Amino acid sequence: MQLGIVGLGRMGGNIARRLTKAGHDCVVWDRNEAAVTELGGEGNRPAGDLADLVAKLDAPRAIWVMLPAGAPTESTISTLAGMLAPGDVIIDGGNTFYKDDIRRAAELEPKGLHYIDVGTSGGVWGLERGYCMMIGGTNEAVDRLDPIFAALAPGLGDIPRTPGREGRDSRVEHGYMHCGPAGSGHFVKMVHNGIEYGLMQAYAEGFEILRHKDSTALPENERFTLDLADVSEVWRRGSVVSSWLLDLSAIALTKDEQLSDFPGEVADSGEGRWTVMAAIEEAVSAEVLSAALYTRFRSRQDHTFGEKLLSAMRFQFGGHTEFKTK
Amino acid sequence: MQLGIVGLGRMGGNIARRLTKAGHDCVVWDRNEAAVTELGGEGNRPAGDLADLVAKLDAPRAIWVMLPAGAPTESTISTLAGMLAPGDVIIDGGNTFYKDDIRRAAELEPKGLHYIDVGTSGGVWGLERGYCMMIGGTNEAVDRLDPIFAALAPGLGDIPRTPGREGRDSRVEHGYMHCGPAGSGHFVKMVHNGIEYGLMQAYAEGFEILRHKDSTALPENERFTLDLADVSEVWRRGSVVSSWLLDLSAIALTKDEQLSDFPGEVADSGEGRWTVMAAIEEAVSAEVLSAALYTRFRSRQDHTFGEKLLSAMRFQFGGHTEFKTK
Amino acid sequence: MQLGIVGLGRMGGNIARRLTKAGHDCVVWDRNEAAVTELGGEGNRPAGDLADLVAKLDAPRAIWVMLPAGAPTESTISTLAGMLAPGDVIIDGGNTFYKDDIRRAAELEPKGLHYIDVGTSGGVWGLERGYCMMIGGTNEAVDRLDPIFAALAPGLGDIPRTPGREGRDSRVEHGYMHCGPAGSGHFVKMVHNGIEYGLMQAYAEGFEILRHKDSTALPENERFTLDLADVSEVWRRGSVVSSWLLDLSAIALTKDEQLSDFPGEVADSGEGRWTVMAAIEEAVSAEVLSAALYTRFRSRQDHTFGEKLLSAMRFQFGGHTEFKTK
Amino acid sequence: MQLGIVGLGRMGGNIARRLTKAGHDCVVWDRNEAAVTELGGEGNRPAGDLADLVAKLDAPRAIWVMLPAGAPTESTISTLAGMLAPGDVIIDGGNTFYKDDIRRAAELEPKGLHYIDVGTSGGVWGLERGYCMMIGGTNEAVDRLDPIFAALAPGLGDIPRTPGREGRDSRVEHGYMHCGPAGSGHFVKMVHNGIEYGLMQAYAEGFEILRHKDSTALPENERFTLDLADVSEVWRRGSVVSSWLLDLSAIALTKDEQLSDFPGEVADSGEGRWTVMAAIEEAVSAEVLSAALYTRFRSRQDHTFGEKLLSAMRFQFGGHTEFKTK
């Protein structure tokens, strides 16, 4: 079926590629002309601008916006809303805050426009493996776009079936889920990322403990020098902690057990923060997800003012001198 | 090859079964006669007592002790040590604290006895899937027992190979790793369990946040009622948070989305605690692993004294009355 | 000087009392007539309604709103804004979210109205001890109301002076601070409450550890039965952890070492939550303040869904049966 | 009364000074001769070595050992034990792990020697303010030494009395508490230090949040530049978070609001670690005390291996490039 795609970065471009490969008809645009030209050369229909993209699609249209969350997505959707006709669908496939989805869907509804939010997981592996999608929107719109979602999703593959799913929504086993009304897709994706932070931090702490087991601060007969690449590999094989993130850790540690390419300053995106805020709004205790987020904050700082204050108090009450040595 | 097995509970019994199936010759004993009889009926050689078990094995012997950590393991190993001859090997396959391994190996060495500690992961699935094993001990002993470990391990299976492992220890890809000297096997397994706690807690918090998204404390247009069985399933398919623990969560949630069989009081074993203590000894920050452990502690309490003290302070400074309503 | 006071609950009533005692002229109103009558009998001028309160004040007026944050405060200020004249001042002394202050001040400014936010700490002890006040607003308005703030504040008292404050703003030593523009007063008060949560939780955990030192899970020779009332008292006297919250803990523990009046379900107010959200917006790690908040969330739950999920996973991988015993 | 004092560092020296001032007869020794000479010049009796110190005391003797915990204390007590006679008392006033106290008391008892452990709080201010003391040992020994403890303690001072203490142990109000048998004094002191870490971290996080409220990452109209010295001062005056640690923070921030003398690398001593371990042994959740400890661990690291692993995973799944920019 036809789909307009706005935003041809790593994610948007690969979505177009995967859809075209599956026989869909994608009209693509990006403010970066080179990206449009490149995708055009791979069987997609290039558009000259947003208006041209809209014009090249038959009604009812569906346009997938795959841009950075915030201003770029907001202004594009706002512009599109002025160009589209009742029955058309706007899909936000980016990392939008779910409350913005709720607001937008309410704004677009009086104009007869449908709004779908799609949280996609799978990263750079999605082109090949397919994208896990969490979708929010009306039944009408989500059902209409089912061929698109089905083509993007991983499908059943050779992943073992979960017993007892007979009679349940079969789309889920194919890797995409209609979670509920607008916003619910990005909400589920947001929590997914929050969990992701927690999982990553659990491994990070574990490997840190393994690594420092050769510390000279320990009694000599209690020190071990452990091969972390081997540990990450052996745990992939039958252990309780096997996971895709562990697979990726094994790849990284096997390549360089010191991970010396990485300075250790870890970025965080909105989803990790919003997940903690959502927990607080619900009065849910989220110790692990918060701690994982805070570790990233801390990783990007040299020394904190709070830590200086600790030293200052220690000096005041105990005369402990944690002064600058020069 | 020959192996004595002491302790025929769920783990020990299945280890005997898997080894026998692979053609090894197991002499088995447990203080529970029924277990000995049962295993004997499955092709293992039953022993009448520890001395009989030792007598039925040819030197150099190897005896796998699979008993609860602490007193049962300690006394059995101590008894065995008095029955064995130089060159024999004692294997502790239980959940022993690694510092006990270090001590025992040092105690047994002057007698010419080898000591191997094996941390095994895989739980009740190990009989079928094979056990992931983390092994500590001397090269001589670990190498001699390689056929046993190879038979218990999962083997290569159809798990994708990690690029760049050419030239590395091939046992690791088959699911068992010689981590280092005595104690290192249980140490790596201990950290494995610490990570396991953290991973589990990350999922637990995430699903808790999803579940309470229909809370009436939230604005009405921000509530979603989410199908958690479906969420757990869709994340298995191409998402970043896919893992074996997620597979198991999907099984449980699909069976009963309310998890109403489970009261929510969660046990913890020594490994989770020891991992945090190891982190502290190494001066490593282990926020997530600690928080995961503490959640379990808290889950087993009704109300804590600390929380009463919070209420008491609030009453004192603010007149907040969080009294018993009787 | 003249001051209108709207809201005569515990805080508002005591503020009126302390001001009247200091010779100020308070016009008071509350929708609860009994409160108005009571305060009227203590030397304040009772008003019949908001309009009457406004009418009873000479321009430029100053009206202190002391109502629950959210709708009650919002609607009262909105109504007042329609009754007041340029140059008048509205003071929000409640627990308003500081972003609401920023918005309101911007809304009122075109009408020539001043807006002051005052965070007050001191709880039920404030009438006697005076209130610690954190104030946001324009210099003009805050300076004009200085006699009110000076009368409400504790004053120098016998608290030791901090060396080096010569030349600094002397109001601060008297217990009130002009923190900055509108919103800054409530922001500082909000962080004050966040810290308060952290301090309280530190004591709560410490006393919990002391109390369980007689646990039968510990080796018999490592158990102590400690008198917590005495511990709280001795720490008040020269120790590093002495504080007002410890004074209050000592009062509570001395009255009843079991704290058996308190069920252990601890409320939280907006400030604790907002503080964590502010930390996240600033990318500041706030482990302790978050953990303190989460403990309160958890204290109000019986068992969490997340904890059930932990049990469910444990059952799946290990056959651990944490079932309902019914 | 007579007291031998071994170890004349900051703490031991001031203890001798405070006792001499109170009319007690101190025989002092330190391996640093200059310290012995200095104290001798202040009215204490200098000893030439341990044996001389023992010889200069009348039986039953009491000797206060004030040395670094671990080997120095252990070997000194061991040596003393060989020189003393039944009925003599050894006091360990250092920061000894309470399990070592329990062991020592059991070792000394068959020799008829008493062992007292004293946890002292008050830091460098103790000479002037008096020391808060938490004492473990037999009634006989602790009672005999009461004049010593009474002289070292702060006494009633002008701290408000806690209501309801009539009929309770009056020593507590004077600032020293007989907590229970040997080990209990250091145990209570250990938890005191754990709480201290938590309190300090609560302030540290709060001031960090205040300080970064001017971050350019925030919307321009939501930024405040706050005077932290003034905030710390105003909170000392009637607020709920007033404490001695806040007094000290105010001193430090008033001297230099940037705390630029302090690099931000914060040491931790055994007590903070032992408190968390004690919590784990008791299965008590100690989120805040742990987080406070971990912050100190993290403050002393540049970047952690765990954080590098986070970046490595992010690169693997998302192509996120947190590489060294070289």
Side-chain angles (χ1 to χ4, degrees), chain A residues 197 268-281 286 289-294 297 300, chain C residues 98-99 187 190 272-287 289-290 293-294, chain D residues 205 208-209 212-213 215 217-218:
Chain A
Y197 280 38
D268 75 286
S269 58
E271 285 94 344
R273 300 180 179 201
W274 300 330
T275 302
V276 175
M277 290 181 180
I280 293 174
E281 286 180 353
L289 307 194
S290 304
L293 178 65
Y294 292 148
F297 289 167
R300 304 195 301 262
Chain C
Y98 76 97
K99 292 188 186 183
F187 183 81
M190 177 195 86
R273 301 180 178 202
W274 300 329
T275 301
V276 175
M277 290 181 180
I280 293 174
E281 286 180 354
E282 297 176 8
V284 161
S285 176
E287 290 287 3
L289 306 193
S290 303
L293 178 66
Y294 292 151
Chain D
E205 293 180 6
E208 180 97 10
I209 294 169
H212 289 286
K213 190 54 184 166
S215 164
L218 300 175

Side-chain angles (χ1 to χ4, degrees), chain B residues 10 122-125 196 200-201 203-204 207-208 211-212 228 244-245 248-249 251-253 257-267 287 295-296 298-299 301-320 322-324, chain C residues 10 122-125 196 200-201 203-204 207-208 211-212 228 244-245 248-249 251-253 257-267 287 295-296 298-299 301-320 322-324:
Chain B
R10 192 166 43 198
V124 293
W125 300 67
E196 175 190 305
M200 291 171 72
Q201 183 63 21
Y203 288 116
F207 279 100
E208 179 99 10
R211 188 168 202 255
H212 289 286
L228 300 191
W244 192 52
L245 284 164
L248 301 178
S249 300
I251 293 173
L253 287 165
E257 205 178 334
Q258 304 306 320
L259 302 174
S260 44
D261 277 350
F262 302 97
E265 303 196 358
V266 192
E287 289 286 1
T295 297
R296 296 194 180 189
R298 181 61 186 81
S299 79
Q301 296 224 319
D302 189 10
H303 288 293
T304 71
F305 184 73
E307 289 158 11
K308 289 170 193 280
L309 184 58
L310 296 179
S311 285
M313 285 190 240
R314 280 171 55 79
F315 172 67
Q316 287 294 335
F317 69 69
H320 304 288
E322 288 155 353
F323 290 145
K324 276 192 181 149
Chain C
R10 192 165 43 198
V124 294
W125 300 66
E196 174 191 305
M200 289 170 73
Q201 183 61 22
Y203 289 115
F207 279 100
E208 179 99 11
R211 187 169 202 254
H212 290 285
L228 301 191
W244 192 52
L245 285 164
L248 300 179
S249 300
I251 293 173
L253 287 164
E257 206 177 336
Q258 304 305 318
L259 301 176
S260 44
D261 276 350
F262 301 97
E265 304 196 358
V266 192
E287 290 287 3
T295 297
R296 297 193 180 188
R298 181 62 186 79
S299 80
Q301 297 224 317
D302 188 11
H303 289 293
T304 73
F305 184 74
E307 288 158 12
K308 289 170 192 281
L309 183 59
L310 295 178
S311 285
M313 285 191 242
R314 280 172 55 82
F315 173 66
Q316 287 294 336
F317 70 69
H320 304 288
E322 287 154 353
F323 290 144
K324 277 190 180 151

Side-chain angles (χ1 to χ4, degrees), chain D residues 273-308:
Chain D
R273 300 182 179 202
W274 299 330
T275 301
V276 175
M277 291 182 178
I280 293 173
E281 287 180 354
E282 297 176 9
V284 161
S285 176
E287 290 286 0
V288 157
L289 307 193
S290 304
L293 178 65
Y294 292 149
T295 297
R296 296 193 180 188
F297 289 169
R298 180 61 186 80
S299 79
R300 303 195 301 261
Q301 296 224 318
D302 188 10
H303 290 293
T304 72
F305 184 73
E307 288 158 11
K308 289 170 191 280

